[in-house]
Amino acid sequence: MKILIIGGTGTISSAITRQLAASDHDLWLLNRGNHKDEVPSNVKQVITDIDNENEVLRLLGNEQFDAVCEFIGFLPSQVERDIRLFKGRTRQYVYISSASAYNKPAASHMITEGTTLANPYWEYSRNKIACEELLMHEYRENSFPVTIVRPSHTYCERGVPVSVHGLKGSWQVLKRMMEGKPVLVHGDGSSLWTLTWNEDFARGFIGLLGNPKTIGEAFQIMSDESLTWNQIYQCVANALGVEFRPYYVASEFLAAVAPKSYDFTGNLLGDKSVTVIFNCSKLKRAVPGFQATTRFDEGVCRCVAYLLAHPELQIEDPEFDAWCDRVIEAQEQTKKSLTK
């Protein structure tokens, strides 16, 4: 197949790029070229800003594609742009949405593609819902060949997944662990979460490409493994070879006292604090034999080893570190004041 990926070098899409490049597919990437040196040599790169539609049309010429995959479309205006650019040019348009779009709180913890989409806490998720609705309208009214994919929390070796961190990523949380300091965990750490290694996700995603039964349908792709956040943090601590010292704080409190830039209202109340278990039977019917095979305790060991071997990724965040200490001190002082 001839496939165009818009993006192609991020956490999720980089694994898809590698797997497609290792096959017989004719793979093209369209992005700004910020990571062009990381792209396999047999991949064609179209380096431009996709918002410059005239330039995109000039560079693509009369090229036609079997699939166009949109990984960096977050707003309805961006989806409208894609429809203008690729209508009549592709047999399949795959839009990467988000499992955070599902109703919070859902009526049932068991999530299928039919679960209602509604997230009052997170604008990011509401924009994804709006994009889905626009695309499905275009499919119904004008036969635009859309397939919607909803990932949950997908990770790779470049970052360790944690629930409470600052703007510079998870390294400061790992640093606190290594220094023997407590780390903030939302709630009591007992809510269930699903983490998916990006190479596993890629196999499910690639299986949807070129499949006519996926047109006009939505699919969620993730591991069948569900872990509590306590188990997730314990796996991180085990990979580091240190003790896990959790400090539990209510999600609502964290959202109320955190800097707005942390967006814990969306990230926690609208996503990670809610127990969800995903039913991927629809995906497995469309992609027979799909199975995520990387357990989190295995994947996080790869992440930790990679981070420790790459000092440039060990980005410290003293502002977040100090904020954690203030939250802990404030809660401890409140406990003391109420127990006198």
Side-chain angles (χ1 to χ4, degrees):
M1 289 189 294
K2 187 175 179 179
I3 301 164
L4 174 68
I5 295 179
I6 304 169
T9 59
T11 296
I12 296 178
S13 58
S14 60
I16 296 168
T17 294
R18 288 193 298 271
Q19 290 184 22
L20 287 173
S23 67
D24 294 329
H25 297 295
D26 181 10
L27 180 60
W28 297 51
L29 300 190
L30 193 162
N31 57 45
R32 294 181 178 178
N34 294 332
H35 301 281
K36 61 183 179 180
D37 295 337
E38 301 173 12
V39 176
S41 59
N42 62 328
V43 175
K44 299 178 180 67
Q45 298 191 65
V46 180
I47 298 176
T48 187
D49 182 347
I50 192 172
D51 284 326
N52 188 340
E53 294 183 41
N54 291 332
E55 180 68 2
V56 171
L57 291 172
R58 184 186 73 79
L59 291 172
L60 291 181
N62 295 321
E63 299 290 345
Q64 298 282 320
F65 298 95
D66 294 300
V68 171
C69 309
E70 172 60 272
F71 280 86
I72 53 175
F74 305 102
L75 301 171
S77 60
Q78 294 169 327
V79 167
E80 290 171 344
R81 173 206 63 205
D82 285 358
I83 293 170
R84 291 192 297 270
L85 286 171
F86 299 110
K87 189 173 185 178
R89 189 189 283 267
T90 184
R91 295 178 180 177
Q92 183 183 28
Y93 173 89
V94 186
Y95 177 69
I96 306 302
S97 184
S98 170
S100 70
Y102 291 120
N103 192 30
K104 299 295 184 304
S108 169
H109 67 279
M110 184 60 70
I111 304 298
T112 72
E113 288 83 356
T115 298
T116 301
L117 303 181
N119 191 327
Y121 299 102
W122 206 359
E123 184 179 11
Y124 163 81
S125 305
R126 293 194 296 274
N127 283 331
K128 287 290 190 179
I129 294 169
C131 289
E132 286 197 29
E133 291 175 343
L134 190 159
L135 286 164
M136 291 306 297
H137 178 269
E138 190 67 17
Y139 164 71
R140 289 189 296 268
E141 298 298 321
N142 299 305
S143 299
F144 188 68
V146 63
T147 300
I148 292 169
V149 172
R150 299 182 188 132
S152 184
H153 196 157
T154 307
Y155 69 106
C156 69
E157 70 278 359
R158 290 183 285 186
V160 173
V162 295
S163 63
V164 181
H165 62 80
L167 297 177
K168 297 181 180 180
S170 61
W171 174 253
Q172 193 65 45
V173 178
L174 272 64
K175 189 170 185 289
R176 288 181 69 90
M177 284 185 168
M178 291 186 288
E179 292 174 348
K181 299 176 70 174
V183 293
L184 298 183
V185 179
H186 66 275
D188 62 0
S190 65
S191 59
L192 291 170
W193 194 242
T194 299
L195 294 156
T196 307
W197 185 248
N198 67 344
E199 297 286 351
D200 287 337
F201 179 95
R203 288 193 295 274
F205 181 90
I206 291 170
L208 297 174
L209 300 182
N211 185 340
K213 294 182 179 180
T214 68
I215 304 302
E217 297 289 338
F219 297 86
Q220 51 193 27
I221 305 175
M222 58 276 296
S223 170
D224 291 323
E225 180 183 44
S226 295
L227 300 170
T228 68
W229 280 104
N230 283 326
Q231 291 172 319
I232 291 168
Y233 275 88
Q234 185 64 64
C235 286
V236 176
N238 291 346
L240 290 168
V242 299
E243 180 185 359
F244 170 39
R245 297 183 59 202
Y247 190 87
Y248 300 112
V249 183
S251 298
E252 291 81 0
F253 185 79
L254 289 171
V257 303
K260 288 185 178 180
S261 57
Y262 291 2
D263 195 13
F264 287 157
T265 298
N267 276 296
L268 293 181
L269 301 183
D271 201 25
K272 296 179 178 65
S273 68
V274 182
T275 284
V276 288
I277 298 175
F278 297 98
N279 182 330
C280 290
S281 58
K282 183 177 180 180
L283 172 70
K284 292 174 182 178
R285 290 193 297 272
V287 187
F290 170 76
Q291 185 70 43
T293 58
T294 306
R295 297 197 317 262
F296 180 67
D297 63 301
E298 299 170 337
V300 78
C301 284
R302 300 177 197 173
C303 294
V304 167
Y306 190 87
L307 288 177
L308 294 178
H310 290 78
E312 71 277 9
L313 298 178
Q314 299 170 18
I315 303 172
E316 297 191 15
D317 192 345
E319 180 180 335
F320 171 74
D321 192 53
W323 178 79
C324 290
D325 290 337
R326 291 198 302 274
V327 169
I328 293 170
E329 177 63 22
Q331 186 159 292
E332 288 301 306
Q333 289 296 330
T334 301
K335 288 180 184 177
K336 291 177 182 177
S337 68
L338 293 175
T339 55
K340 286 182 180 179

